[in-house]
Amino acid sequence: MTAPGSGPTRVVIRGLGEIGSKAARILLRRPQVEIVGVISHQVGEDLGEAVGVDATGLKIVGEPQELAGLEADICLLATKQKVAEVHDEIAWALDSGMAVIASGEEMIFPWAAAPDLAESIDRRARAAGRAVLGTGVNPGFVMDVLPLCLSSACADIERLEVTRASDFSPYGPLALRSLGVGLSPEQFQRDVETGKVDGHIGFDESIGMMARAIGWTIDYVRDELRPIIAKATRTTPHVTVEPGQVAGCEHEAVGYSEGEPKIVLTHPQQVDPAAEDAQLYDSIRLVGVPTIEMEIKPEIEGGTATAARMVNSIGAVLDAAPGLRGSDELPLPRITPLGR
Amino acid sequence: MTAPGSGPTRVVIRGLGEIGSKAARILLRRPQVEIVGVISHQVGEDLGEAVGVDATGLKIVGEPQELAGLEADICLLATKQKVAEVHDEIAWALDSGMAVIASGEEMIFPWAAAPDLAESIDRRARAAGRAVLGTGVNPGFVMDVLPLCLSSACADIERLEVTRASDFSPYGPLALRSLGVGLSPEQFQRDVETGKVDGHIGFDESIGMMARAIGWTIDYVRDELRPIIAKATRTTPHVTVEPGQVAGCEHEAVGYSEGEPKIVLTHPQQVDPAAEDAQLYDSIRLVGVPTIEMEIKPEIEGGTATAARMVNSIGAVLDAAPGLRGSDELPLPRITPLGR
């Protein structure tokens, strides 16, 4: 923990894709943080120019070794989705004395996908005296943190339902492939069976976090991928979808407790939703006492909000007990305009 | 803090009005808590019978002295609204070794209305090694905790707006008087000027908590009470309002920062809203990057949810650092079906 008055919090950014770039732009406007190192593939570029703002005088490096000896408080890690893919990057940051905030979907609740690696990260974080957190918007907020917060106003909850209907237009070929966009309905079904179409990553993480926080036992999770078939032509910078083809995927996961559906998470994502006036929203329904029905319209845009959630977590992660943490273990989140 | 396995958390309830009774009914269904004492005016009655469920074998006492020597972990205090009115009850609980959760509006953020008393409570709580928390729905959730949680997804916030449109039909003569229900519009204005009509208690508390949590400086708060005039006859068990009379009050408070309205809280409350199809809802609008617009419809019903927020805070308060705490300092809230 950096004591007040001891200077700004020193941040390293690893990964300067969409999320990392947005996090950098937010950080550059916050007075009590300073970006002291950036590792990404735009080697040699000035950080500011690489993210579309004024030059900062800080050059991007390609390899972590080039930051050897740098003193920093925390690393914002915006590289990969899976725990196995970011484990070594987290280990490097911890061994370099930094706390870590990761945006990878599985890192929101790493105990779901990779309990052994989660244990390894936890042990290393405790040894380093630093905390590690995964955060984002989905998973990491709409389908877990926000329903938990709302649940605090309930005396009883029979079932918890969240739907996030979002626009997939900004995404490129690789992401489109994972949703089966542009396929025929028949090919979509075949690709679901072979795993080429795999939809959203994060349901197990959202369900895992909520079950842990509330103390529910979820016996198993069943998921289903349903094609959203275009009735009109859909266009994005990356793809054109003709009527009859797949415009997106409605991915649903249901966590069962004692045979009853306890947590129902539905995530329809599609390209060019305006072409058919498809509504975009985040909705949460807690069926209980009282029943609470919430809607955010339009849905919280994922990119900026994920970067904001990372930056807004800096103070809480620096103050957290050492170890691997979930958002359910940290204080009520909030924007931190000063940087921490 | 009660260690796991050391038996249920022992709870004392002080005040068995609407909120205290609802809290008792929730507690009686939760396995890891036990109500060990109740102080209220229904002296000698069985707790269960007093709150409309099966007999519990626990008799209600009238005075705290009658619980002398009782060992308890935490006191749920549901008596009065103002810090000055509950200060001595909190002191008694702390001196008896209990943590405290209070439902009084000013206790949500006691530093606003009574900084000296807040300081006194904080000092006493630290000496006792216990935490004290005020919680509820409004103030305590819709206009402060929930906007803070949502703000964590924002990179910037220019202005924060919350409207809670709620049904005042359940309330009796004293509460109706504070809203001016049944008055002529002219008398309403006169009673606002003399303070007989004073509207909602809690704006300063909600604004104070958010400003502290976010790090905003609010220079001053201006509030206004506007009459809601009936166009149709409104009826409740407590009052009949004729067309042209006051059916409720729209109370608005605006917190300014550097001359700009930064926090705008609006709370229209009226009797028999269905008579004119008045909509009931909680809405939060964060004007920023991204702008987030949230609506809960109908509004979260205040009574049950306030009792639930109290009960759901037990574990967090027992685990909190000793002292006077705000919800902004505690972990992300959630329902606790086991009791803690």
Side-chain angles (χ1 to χ4, degrees), chain B residues 131 152 267 314:
Chain B
S152 70
H267 193 12
I314 289 174

Side-chain angles (χ1 to χ4, degrees), chain A residues 29-30 141 148 151-156 214 293-297 305 309 312 328 330-335 337, chain B residues 29-30 148 151-156 214 293-297 305 309 312 328 330-335 337:
Chain A
R29 290 197 305 273
R30 299 209 171 169
F141 192 65
L148 283 174
S151 79
S152 70
C154 293
D156 285 300
I214 296 179
E293 303 199 53
M294 186 226 73
E295 190 169 79
I296 294 172
K297 209 166 182 174
R309 295 259 314 144
N312 290 332
D328 56 316
L330 295 190
L332 178 71
R334 81 285 309 260
I335 190 173
Chain B
R29 291 197 305 273
R30 299 210 172 168
L148 282 173
S151 78
S152 70
C154 293
D156 285 299
I214 296 178
E293 303 199 53
M294 186 225 75
E295 191 169 79
I296 294 172
K297 210 166 182 175
R309 295 259 313 145
N312 290 331
D328 56 316
L330 295 190
L332 179 71
R334 80 286 309 259
I335 189 173

Side-chain angles (χ1 to χ4, degrees), chain A residues 78-160:
Chain A
T79 53
K80 304 276 187 175
Q81 298 179 304
K82 293 181 190 295
V83 181
E85 294 169 330
V86 295
H87 175 274
D88 292 355
E89 298 175 345
I90 292 170
W92 162 78
L94 289 169
D95 293 350
S96 306
M98 288 179 265
V100 179
I101 298 174
S103 64
E105 281 87 338
E106 285 187 2
M107 282 301 300
I108 303 308
F109 192 79
W111 299 272
D116 291 350
L117 292 177
E119 167 76 23
S120 154
I121 293 170
D122 184 54
R123 215 170 23 229
R124 196 180 286 254
R126 288 172 196 265
R130 290 295 199 177
V132 174
L133 175 78
T135 190
V137 164
N138 187 33
F141 192 65
V142 170
M143 290 197 175
D144 34 54
V145 168
L146 193 51
L148 283 174
C149 186
L150 285 168
S151 79
S152 70
C154 293
D156 285 300
I157 296 180
E158 186 183 319
R159 196 170 62 257
L160 189 158

